[in-house]
């Protein structure tokens, strides 16, 4: 173990940090020894997953820890569907390994580059009105806490720790292993269709309630929404995946290569953005296919951007979308990236953005290098007025004082933090901002 000081950037390129050392522990004992050593020196520790958070959640000028040598499946039980994995396993490896075992995650977000511990620590979610975010699939956790000791927690073992640690913002300890409730592998049918935005919103409850997973992307400066509905096919029905050329055309060439060129042009010539979006929206076509669940849920995202996402009560989705449109029009913004809208079930995790309520998520983006702060802050004000909670891994400017009223169990989380990390070995600027010192 042991590494040099370095410069670290997140995926979005909007966060930079200068860790004094980089460590790659090989097992929980090495993590424990590392935390003890760093704590004794009065320094700070932060695990970085895949660096896919847009906030400074993973940024540290202390000791940066990669769990890339702790990225294996530890145990799996086909009967119960319980699978224990090391905290550093990337979702793409998890998905393919589960598939080989005949298992799958119940729900996933848009990509599979994140680590399991990084994704769950910030409340990463997909879409599906009856389904929670990824952290709701956790059944047990192993953590190295502030004094370097190793603890395990589950609904029956240290339940108050378990409750909070599922979405711990990296503030409670190093998550060294995660036990997930998986289910038998399944095939999803994807039905993607561009529709007029007003028609989608007029019928939004049926779209959301009649599909297992529904989301849409609205292209600013147009009245077009690309709807995506994913539903399970009956067991035993063979998948009908996209032809390789169609997948390459849609997901690589159009969604990444051409789209990157369009965004780059829009960045240089903002006045062209409405016309570019109209052209892009006009080129959208319907498609229907079926495939293994994880291949339908996730796709490659190579166009770099910066993102903010707010969770609002589901019933506020009309107001929230109208507010974003209003901000874009009022401030004369030229926004090339679509607004993504998803729906998630309530859960009981203290710092979950879906805690205690049916939730609509609205995500806004700007192409990398474009100014984002004015747009995001203006939208944040609107979302805050609607009772919005910001995604912990995506840009926002909220602080502990104004987050507390949004989370009924905020102080319960802080009490667990006081117990597990009284010396704040796992602190960084982000945790100090959103949780306090
Ligand atoms: C292209 C792209 C697409 C995305 N799509 C979605 C989406 O569909 N849905 C969604 O909800 N989000 C999405 N996100 C956000 C992303 O899922 C979250 O920001 C997630 O936290 C990133 O995971 P990571 O492994 O990169 O973690 P990092 O960003 O590296 O870390 C996130 C936090 O987890 C902590 N952490 C990481 N590992 C550990 C550990 N072992 N123990 C303790 N703490 C740990 C870090 O310290 C940090 O606080 C997307 C992001 C990008 C860039």
């Amino acid at each position: 173990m042991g590494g040099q000081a370095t410069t670290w950037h997140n995926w979005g390129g909007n966060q930079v940090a200068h860790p004094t050392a980089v460590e790659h522990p090989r097992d929980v004992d090495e993590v424990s020894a590392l935390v003890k050593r760093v704590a004794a020196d009065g320094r700070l520790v932060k695990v970085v997953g895949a660096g896919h958070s847009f906030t400074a959640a993973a940024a540290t000028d202390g000791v940066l820890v990669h769990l890339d040598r702790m990225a294996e499946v530890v145990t799996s039980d086909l009967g119960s569907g319980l699978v224990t994995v090391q905290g550093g396993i990337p979702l793409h490896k998890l998905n393919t390994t589960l598939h080989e075992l005949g298992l799958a995650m119940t729900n996933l977000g848009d990509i599979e580059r994140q680590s399991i511990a990084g994704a769950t620590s910030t409340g990463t979610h997909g879409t599906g009105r009856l389904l929670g975010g990824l952290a709701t699939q956790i059944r047990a956790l192993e953590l190295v806490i502030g004094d370097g000791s190793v603890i395990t927690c589950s609904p029956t073992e240290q339940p108050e720790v378990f409750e909070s640690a599922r979405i711990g913002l990296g503030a409670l300890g190093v998550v060294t292993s995660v036990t997930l409730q998986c289910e038998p592998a399944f095939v999803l049918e994807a039905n993607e269709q561009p529709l007029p935005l007003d028609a989608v919103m007029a019928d939004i409850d049926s779209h959301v309630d009649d599909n297992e997973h529904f989301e849409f992307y609205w292209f600013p400066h147009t009245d077009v929404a690309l709807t995506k509905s994913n539903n399970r096919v009956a067991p035993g029905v063979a998948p009908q995946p996209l032809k390789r050329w169609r997948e390459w055309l849609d997901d690589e060439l159009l969604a990444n290569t051409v789209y990157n060129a369009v965004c780059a042009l829009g960045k240089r010539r903002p006045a062209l953005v409405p016309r570019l979006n109209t052209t892009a929206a006009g080129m959208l076509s319907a498609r229907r296919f079926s495939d293994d669940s994880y291949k339908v849920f996730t796709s490659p995202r190579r166009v770099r951007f910066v993102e903010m996402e707010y969770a609002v009560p589901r019933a506020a989705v009309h107001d929230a979308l109208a507010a974003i449109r209003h901000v874009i029009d009022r401030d004369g913004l030229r926004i090339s990236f679509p607004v993504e809208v998803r729906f998630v079930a309530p859960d009981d995790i203290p710092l979950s953005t879906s805690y205690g309520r049916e939730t609509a998520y609205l995500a806004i983006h700007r192409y990398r290098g474009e100014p984002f702060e004015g747009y995001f802050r203006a939208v944040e004000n609107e979302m805050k007025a609607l009772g919005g909670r910001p995604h912990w891994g995506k840009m926002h400017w909220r602080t502990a004082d104004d987050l507390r009223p949004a989370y009924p169990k905020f102080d319960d989380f802080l009490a667990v933090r006081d117990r597990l990390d009284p010396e704040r070995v796992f602190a960084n600027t982000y945790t100090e901002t959103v949780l306090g010192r």
Side-chain angles (χ1 to χ4, degrees), residues 9 28 42 90 130 182 253 267 273 295 308 341 361 416 419:
H9 296 271
V28 65
L130 297 178
C182 301
L253 189 67
K267 180 179 160 191
V273 166
K295 297 178 190 160
M308 181 175 82
V341 182
Y361 287 90
V416 172
R419 245 180 73 200

Side-chain angles (χ1 to χ4, degrees), residues 47 49-53 57 67 110 114-115 117-118 122 124-125 173 175 342 391:
V47 184
H52 273 51
S53 293
L67 296 188
D110 291 341
Q114 310 95 316
S115 65
T122 62
T124 295
H125 62 90
V175 175
R342 294 181 274 187
H391 190 304

Side-chain angles (χ1 to χ4, degrees), residues 8 10-12 46-59 65 67 87-88 91 108-111 113-126 143 168-176 301 303 305 307 309 340 342 361 391-394 428 430-431:
W8 171 86
N10 66 339
W11 180 91
K46 191 61 42 190
V47 184
V48 172
H52 273 51
S53 293
F54 299 96
T55 55
V65 177
L67 296 188
L91 294 182
L108 289 165
D110 291 341
I111 59 159
R113 306 315 300 174
Q114 310 95 316
S115 65
I116 187 68
T120 52
S121 291
T122 62
T124 295
H125 62 90
L143 289 163
L169 310 189
L172 303 182
V174 178
V175 175
T176 45
R301 292 283 162 89
V303 181
F305 54 82
E307 178 176 352
E309 184 176 48
E340 184 179 15
R342 294 181 274 187
Y361 287 90
H391 190 304
W392 299 106
K394 303 188 183 179
N428 64 1
Y430 185 72
T431 60

Side-chain angles (χ1 to χ4, degrees), residues 93-419:
K93 182 172 171 184
L94 172 66
N95 289 335
T96 48
T97 311
L98 288 179
H99 189 68
E100 284 159 14
L101 291 166
L103 295 171
M105 293 287 282
T106 300
N107 205 0
L108 289 165
D110 291 341
I111 59 159
E112 54 174 6
R113 306 315 300 174
Q114 310 95 316
S115 65
I116 187 68
T120 52
S121 291
T122 62
T124 295
H125 62 90
T127 192
R129 79 174 177 97
L130 297 178
L131 298 167
L134 271 60
T136 63
Q137 283 186 245
I138 298 178
R139 295 294 175 267
L141 288 166
E142 180 186 74
L143 289 163
V144 175
I145 61 175
D147 64 0
S149 57
V150 183
I151 63 164
T152 51
C153 61
S154 70
T156 52
E157 188 182 4
Q158 305 216 46
E160 68 300 335
V161 172
F162 176 73
E163 198 173 68
S164 286
R166 287 173 290 170
I167 298 183
L169 310 189
L172 303 182
V174 178
V175 175
T176 45
S177 81
V178 183
T179 301
L180 297 161
Q181 179 66 64
C182 301
E183 60 174 293
F186 59 98
V187 169
L188 280 176
E189 184 185 58
N191 180 6
E192 303 179 356
Q193 220 184 342
L195 290 172
L197 177 67
D198 289 346
V200 174
M201 291 310 287
D203 221 8
I204 191 70
D205 283 335
S206 330
H207 285 297
V208 176
D209 294 343
D210 296 350
N211 291 290
E212 289 162 15
H213 310 270
F214 175 78
E215 67 182 307
F216 71 88
Y217 294 84
W218 167 59
F219 286 71
H221 317 290
T222 79
D223 59 3
V224 179
L226 176 62
T227 61
K228 296 192 174 196
S229 310
N230 296 330
N231 292 287
R232 290 172 190 230
V233 304
V237 175
Q240 299 197 309
L242 288 173
K243 300 266 185 279
R244 289 292 292 271
W245 67 264
R246 177 81 200 258
E247 190 180 345
W248 175 81
L249 179 75
D250 289 354
D251 295 342
E252 275 302 334
L253 189 67
L254 295 179
N256 283 300
T257 312
V258 171
Y259 194 56
N260 191 44
V262 169
C263 291
L265 178 58
K267 180 179 160 191
R268 279 201 314 277
R269 308 262 314 270
L272 290 182
V273 166
R275 218 179 322 149
L276 291 171
N277 281 13
T278 305
T279 308
M283 285 169 62
L284 295 169
S285 57
R287 61 178 194 172
R288 195 185 270 268
F289 62 95
S290 57
D291 213 334
D292 298 321
S293 55
Y294 65 100
K295 297 178 190 160
V296 174
F297 285 133
T298 65
S299 47
R301 292 283 162 89
R302 299 193 218 291
V303 181
R304 300 278 166 139
F305 54 82
V306 178
E307 178 176 352
M308 181 175 82
E309 184 176 48
Y310 256 82
V312 299
R314 176 176 160 182
V317 68
H318 294 271
D319 291 344
L321 188 63
I324 295 173
R325 296 181 82 168
H326 171 70
V327 165
I328 294 173
D329 291 345
R330 181 196 67 196
D331 297 348
L333 299 171
R334 297 286 177 259
I335 305 299
S336 48
F337 261 79
V339 175
E340 184 179 15
V341 182
R342 294 181 274 187
F343 300 86
V344 168
D347 66 46
D348 63 352
I349 306 175
L351 290 193
S352 169
T353 45
S354 290
Y355 178 85
R357 68 190 191 196
E358 280 196 81
T359 296
Y361 287 90
L362 294 97
I364 63 173
H365 315 73
R366 292 227 76 176
Y367 184 55
R368 186 173 176 169
E370 285 182 337
F372 59 82
E373 192 167 336
Y375 175 38
F376 287 8
R377 277 184 183 269
V379 170
E380 174 160 85
N381 281 339
E382 303 288 337
M383 298 302 122
K384 200 174 154 185
L386 294 170
R389 298 167 176 159
H391 190 304
W392 299 106
K394 303 188 183 179
M395 287 309 299
H396 69 89
W397 288 266
R398 303 283 291 272
T399 61
D401 284 346
D402 77 330
L403 286 165
R404 177 176 281 105
Y407 288 94
K409 289 198 169 176
F410 196 78
D411 288 326
D412 295 11
F413 183 93
L414 294 189
V416 172
R417 184 192 191 207
D418 284 342
R419 245 180 73 200

